[in-house]
Amino acid sequence: MKKLLILLTALTLSLGVFAQEDHMEKMDKKDSAMGKMGEQMDMKKDHIMMMGGKMQMMKNGKTMLMNKDTTLSNGTEVMKNGMCKMKDGSTMQMKEGDMIYMDGKMGKMPKMKMGKMKM
C-alpha cells in the first residue's frame, strides 16, 4: 500500500512538471510572435512617415510636420520632400504610408480602420 501511495505521489508531481513546461513553451512562442508583430506595429517608437502627402515625424509620442532635413543614426538622410539618401549614396522617394525608424529601418504604416489599428 505504501509503495502504491509513493508511486501515485511521484506520478502526480511529474505530471505537474510536464504541464508547466508545456505552458511555458506556449508562452515563449506567443511572446516571440507578439514581439515580431510589435516591431511592425510599434507606432509609439520614434519614426518619420509620409502621410497625406506630407512628411511627418513622431518624436516622444508626438506627431509634427518635418520642418528640416534629418540624418538618422545609420547615416541615412531624410529630406522634407520625402527623398531618402542612404549612406552608400543610393536614393529613394518615400511614398504614402512608408515609414522609416530613427535607426534607418524601413517599414509600412499599419492600416487604420475607423481610428483604430487593424489587426
Side-chain angles (χ1 to χ4, degrees):
M1 185 69 174
K2 278 186 178 180
K3 289 182 181 180
L4 183 60
L5 187 58
I6 291 172
L7 181 63
L8 187 60
T9 304
L11 183 63
T12 304
L13 290 174
S14 63
L15 286 175
V17 169
F18 287 122
Q20 283 182 344
E21 185 176 308
D22 186 42
H23 177 71
M24 295 302 284
E25 286 176 11
K26 286 180 184 176
M27 290 299 288
D28 287 343
K29 287 179 184 176
K30 186 176 179 182
D31 288 344
S32 66
M34 289 300 288
K36 289 177 185 174
M37 190 185 321
E39 284 177 14
Q40 292 175 338
M41 297 184 161
D42 190 5
M43 293 298 291
K44 292 184 180 179
K45 189 175 176 183
D46 292 348
H47 62 273
I48 299 171
M49 61 194 155
M50 174 74 80
M51 187 187 304
K54 298 183 181 192
M55 293 299 289
Q56 298 183 21
M57 181 182 288
M58 169 81 70
K59 196 135 187 153
N60 299 324
K62 296 181 181 178
T63 305
M64 62 195 93
L65 286 175
M66 248 181 98
N67 56 3
K68 62 180 181 175
D69 297 347
T70 304
T71 302
L72 308 177
S73 63
N74 72 341
T76 299
E77 187 177 355
V78 182
M79 281 104 181
K80 294 186 299 186
N81 65 1
M83 184 65 68
C84 296
K85 184 176 182 181
M86 292 11 163
K87 191 175 184 178
D88 65 3
S90 61
T91 60
M92 69 156 281
Q93 178 67 42
M94 289 183 71
K95 298 177 200 76
E96 187 70 23
D98 286 348
M99 63 188 295
I100 187 166
Y101 292 103
M102 295 304 178
D103 62 3
K105 290 182 182 174
M106 300 285 296
K108 287 275 188 191
M109 292 181 48
K111 302 228 184 285
M112 303 296 239
K113 188 174 184 180
M114 289 191 225
K116 293 184 179 180
M117 272 198 255
K118 185 178 179 183
M119 292 194 183

